[in-house]
RNA sequence: GGCCCCAUCGUCUAGAGGCCCAGGACAUCACCCUCUCAAGGUGGAGACACGGGUUCGAAUCCCGUUGGGGCUGCCA
């Protein structure tokens, strides 16, 4: 009989959704799509102390933004407590688990006396304690060794003597991660468990549970962790890793997904840009790298620039709107969409983040004199050039980019100035910035009246 | 400390014994193009951690060393 393909992403809602989680979700999703299976979202909220509804909502909306859709769920572990208890009970009744009333202090104390490694020593194994409030249920780890077959890492063998009798049920009767995970994966008929490498050390415990209850293990794949510039695991506390933040900075979801796909996997053939279909077709767990990967925002920006440049104009304009509207300083009559649209193609090929659109086009909606963006004083020569440019364009009826550029070039010849020098004061007076979209496009869109006003104002004030 | 994982340019990686005095991408440097910026073009610098094996031949296989990481909770 052929096993159904079912994968799950099981984050615990204890903070902002971070990029490592996004990559894990993506890899699971890719395999599900590729194999015609199901992708399931499960919220691992067994630790009620640390969970909050908003984190769960954040995960769901971030996944939606990345277009990583799930076929089932979300399931919540917090709603399945009875089921975990039931399984735990079964283990207990079969003599595969036992109750324990040791406190942490007692365990540590004995470990210290023993002089060996810290950890539980099986003190209550043969005490035949009966269930009682406050007593934890521990799994009786059998002798021998436990093998984890991992698609990424191959065969990993653990001596059972190094695995302590781990806790299944807390003293308050609540299930712990290993148990809850195991029960859910079995109940949901999960075929592949793809998760971060930090879970590898607990995997033999899960395998022991599968073996104890005579259930087939799923296929395991442990992905290399994502690290920061200091090469330590990305942490929500230390590092800026929230998917929401990247969205707000103006990363495109398609760029982020593409970049994330390549952190730990490569299709070979020197290919880097891949759309969804190509990823689904080419993705291969056996080719996932084993070593940690540095999450490099700079490279992700390069991907973003590429994806921004390949957007259709309509799409680009639409995606920019929310960044433009976020700026209160030009609320009121707001953004003249037609003006923005006219300059958008020139902005589109220049920015790497959507949020950068603001500094590229603000001059269209606000007078540069109000902004005083760049500290710059016009020199005598600048003022002279501006005045002469003003004279030329004042007389011009046809305020078109090519015409304006013609005047600009002839002025350059008259003054014997290189054009890169000559453009600077004009750009400053018109836009208040040193860099921006092509000058004469900007000027055409601003129109004759506003352009001349700005140049005159610059001449009058000297900046 | 114990257990486990990992090791190719600064970074992400290609490389499954000869195609590799190691290829691509980002970043970086130089030059060209250019009204700024960006893009584009050309070129440069830049890596198989180390030591032993195995083999006619090793980045690729084995062992060790070193280095890094993960886990070590009645967290997930």
């Amino acid at each position: 009989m052929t096993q159904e393909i079912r994968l799950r992403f099981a984050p615990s809602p204890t903070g902002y959704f971070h990029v490592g989680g996004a990559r894990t979700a993506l890899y699971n999703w890719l395999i599900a799509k590729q194999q015609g299976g199901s992708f399931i979202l499960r919220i691992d909220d067994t630790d009620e102390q640390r969970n909050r509804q908003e984190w769960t909502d954040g995960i769901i909306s971030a996944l939606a933004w990345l277009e990583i859709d799930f076929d089932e769920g979300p399931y919540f572990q917090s709603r399945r407590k009875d089921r975990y208890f039931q399984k735990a009970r079964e283990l207990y009744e079969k003599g595969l688990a036992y109750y324990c009333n040791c406190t942490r202090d007692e365990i540590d104390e004995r470990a210290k006396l023993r002089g060996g490694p810290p950890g539980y020593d099986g003190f209550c194994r043969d005490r035949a304690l009966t269930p009682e409030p406050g007593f934890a249920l521990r799994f009786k780890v059998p002798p021998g060794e436990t093998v984890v077959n991992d698609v990424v890492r191959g065969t990993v063998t653990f001596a059972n003597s190094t695995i302590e009798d781990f806790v299944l049920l807390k003293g308050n009767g609540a299930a712990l991660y290993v148990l809850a995970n195991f029960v859910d994966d079995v109940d949901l008929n999960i075929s592949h468990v793809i998760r971060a490498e930090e879970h590898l050390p607990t995997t033999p415990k899960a395998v022991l549970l599968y073996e104890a209850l005579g259930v087939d293990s799923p296929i395991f794949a442990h992905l290399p962790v994502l690290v920061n510039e200091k090469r330590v695991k990305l942490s929500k506390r230390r590092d800026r890793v929230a998917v929401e933040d990247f969205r707000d900075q103006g990363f495109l979801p398609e760029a982020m997904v593409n970049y994330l796909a390549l952190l730990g996997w490569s299709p070979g053939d020197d290919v880097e840009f891949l759309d969804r279909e190509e990823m689904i077709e080419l993705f291969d767990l056996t080719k996932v790298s084993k070593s940690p990967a540095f999450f490099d925002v700079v490279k992700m920006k390069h991907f973003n620039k590429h994806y921004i440049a390949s957007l259709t104009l309509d799409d680009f304009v639409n995606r920019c709107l929310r960044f433009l509207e976020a700026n209160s300083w030009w609320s009121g009559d707001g953004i003249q969409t037609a003006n923005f649209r006219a300059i958008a193609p020139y902005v589109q090929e220049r920015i790497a983040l959507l949020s950068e659109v603001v500094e590229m086009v603000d001059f269209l909606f606000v007078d540069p004199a109000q902004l005083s963006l760049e500290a710059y004083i016009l020199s005598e020569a600048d003022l002279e050039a501006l005045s002469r440019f003003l004279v030329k364009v004042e007389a011009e009826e046809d305020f078109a980019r090519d015409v304006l550029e013609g005047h600009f070039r002839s002025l350059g010849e008259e003054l014997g100035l290189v054009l890169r020098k000559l453009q600077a004061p004009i750009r400053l007076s018109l836009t208040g910035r040193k860099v921006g979209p092509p000058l004469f496009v900007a000027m055409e869109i601003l129109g004759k009246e506003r352009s001349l006003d700005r140049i005159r104002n610059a001449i009058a004030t000297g900046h």
Side-chain angles (χ1 to χ4, degrees):
Chain A
M1 122 185 175
T2 53
Q3 158 95 50
E4 224 186 312
I5 304 295
R6 292 169 62 80
L7 296 95
R8 56 32 169 214
F9 173 56
S12 62
T14 55
Y16 293 105
F17 185 47
H18 90 87
V19 291
R23 186 196 56 172
T24 301
L26 175 64
Y27 283 18
N28 275 282
W29 183 89
L30 286 170
I31 294 293
K33 294 293 158 196
Q34 184 183 70
Q35 309 284 321
S38 301
F39 176 63
I40 298 154
L41 178 64
R42 187 175 77 216
I43 304 297
D44 279 12
D45 54 352
T46 51
D47 184 357
E48 290 168 52
Q49 259 44 275
R50 300 201 303 162
N51 299 316
R52 284 205 252 144
Q53 180 63 41
E54 59 185 288
W55 302 137
T56 297
D57 295 343
I59 290 166
I60 291 172
S61 70
L63 286 174
W65 178 68
L66 292 167
E67 293 183 67
I68 298 174
D69 55 309
F70 42 90
D71 304 298
E72 280 178 41
Y75 295 107
F76 292 89
Q77 292 196 324
S78 55
R79 297 182 195 159
R80 291 172 44 80
K81 293 176 192 165
D82 294 348
R83 181 70 187 139
Y84 307 139
F85 185 79
Q86 193 184 336
K87 274 288 172 195
R89 191 77 194 183
E90 186 181 334
L91 256 359
Y92 171 66
E93 280 163 4
K94 286 185 172 169
L96 299 167
Y98 59 91
Y99 282 91
C100 165
N101 65 352
C102 297
T103 64
R104 187 73 234 172
D105 285 347
E106 289 166 356
I107 293 168
D108 291 343
E109 185 66 19
R110 286 199 300 269
K112 213 169 150 188
L113 282 173
R114 201 169 62 236
Y120 186 65
D121 55 1
F123 185 78
C124 298
R125 219 177 221 246
D126 303 311
R127 294 174 68 204
L129 261 28
T130 50
E132 207 170 306
F135 287 13
L137 183 68
R138 288 183 181 271
F139 183 76
K140 195 182 287 180
V141 176
E145 57 184 28
T146 301
V147 173
V148 175
N149 280 308
D150 189 286
V151 181
V152 175
R153 279 150 219 288
T155 302
V156 185
T157 305
F158 297 80
N160 289 8
S161 57
T162 65
I163 305 171
E164 66 176 30
D165 286 351
F166 53 95
V167 174
L168 260 14
L169 244 33
K170 302 187 205 179
N172 64 10
L176 239 34
Y177 165 77
V178 177
L179 204 222
N181 239 268
F182 160 73
V183 175
D184 282 340
D185 286 343
V186 171
D187 285 355
L188 291 172
N189 196 22
I190 298 300
S191 61
H192 296 62
V193 171
I194 303 174
R195 73 233 297 195
E197 191 195 344
E198 64 214 59
H199 295 278
L200 187 54
T202 65
T203 307
K205 297 178 183 175
V207 171
L208 249 13
L209 255 17
Y210 281 97
E211 288 173 352
L213 261 21
V215 186
D216 285 342
S217 281
I219 293 166
F220 288 105
H222 288 92
L223 311 175
V225 294
L226 263 29
V227 298
N228 64 19
E229 64 289 336
K230 287 152 92 175
R231 302 235 124 236
V232 303
K233 187 174 75 159
L234 287 182
S235 121
K236 291 171 188 171
R237 269 188 45 233
R238 248 194 332 262
D239 308 298
R240 285 205 88 209
V241 292
V243 173
E244 293 89 337
D245 283 349
F246 294 114
R247 180 191 59 200
D248 293 344
Q249 284 171 47
F251 279 96
L252 262 33
E254 50 270 58
M256 190 151 188
V257 163
N258 193 158
Y259 176 68
L260 249 20
L262 262 25
L263 267 190
W265 170 71
S266 161
D269 296 328
D270 297 336
V271 173
E272 291 210 309
F273 293 119
L274 298 156
D275 63 32
R276 296 269 176 160
E277 273 59 50
E278 291 168 323
M279 275 182 234
I280 291 170
E281 188 193 331
L282 298 171
F283 188 71
D284 182 355
L285 268 183
T286 66
K287 291 181 75 178
V288 168
S289 121
K290 298 179 182 69
S291 40
F294 170 60
F295 180 75
D296 186 359
V297 185
V298 174
K299 183 149 187 181
M300 186 162 76
K301 261 175 101 166
H302 171 258
F303 275 73
N304 208 49
K305 195 169 202 318
H306 169 88
Y307 278 95
I308 286 177
S310 43
L311 254 24
T312 64
L313 181 59
D314 281 340
D315 201 358
F316 176 70
V317 169
N318 285 333
R319 298 212 209 192
C320 283
L321 252 26
R322 94 164 239 255
F323 291 90
L324 293 171
E325 284 160 358
N327 279 274
S328 53
W329 25 295
W330 59 54
S331 49
D333 52 342
I335 312 129
Q336 293 108 314
T337 311
N339 278 354
F340 173 58
R341 197 187 161 80
I343 207 156
Y346 302 93
V347 175
Q348 187 177 359
E349 60 190 22
R350 283 174 168 72
I351 61 176
L353 295 172
L354 289 180
S355 55
E356 290 166 1
V357 69
V358 175
E359 64 207 55
M360 293 294 276
V361 304
D362 51 6
F363 71 92
L364 284 177
F365 313 120
V366 191
D367 195 292
Q370 296 169 25
L371 297 176
S372 58
L373 294 165
E374 312 267 1
Y376 189 90
I377 306 295
L378 296 169
S379 68
E380 283 300 316
D382 289 336
L383 292 170
E384 165 71 11
L386 266 184
S387 300
R388 295 187 57 161
F389 185 63
L390 179 65
V391 170
K392 281 176 182 289
V393 296
E394 258 175 346
E396 186 53 69
E397 285 304 313
D398 183 14
F399 222 69
R401 61 191 70 173
D402 294 349
V403 175
L404 295 166
E405 185 172 344
H407 287 301
F408 169 71
R409 287 183 183 282
S410 66
L411 178 61
E413 276 184 38
E414 289 164 27
L415 295 174
L417 273 177
V418 291
L419 300 178
R420 52 176 296 123
K421 288 274 187 192
L422 185 57
Q423 63 88 36
I426 302 175
R427 181 181 300 281
L428 253 321
S429 69
L430 250 24
T431 71
R433 292 191 184 270
K434 291 175 182 167
V435 303
L439 199 44
F440 307 105
V441 173
M443 212 167 161
E444 179 188 302
I445 295 170
L446 271 175
K448 184 171 179 180
E449 193 184 335
R450 287 166 88 196
S451 296
L452 296 185
D453 278 352
R454 289 183 184 194
I455 294 173
R456 289 189 187 111
N457 185 261
I459 293 170
T461 62
H463 58 260

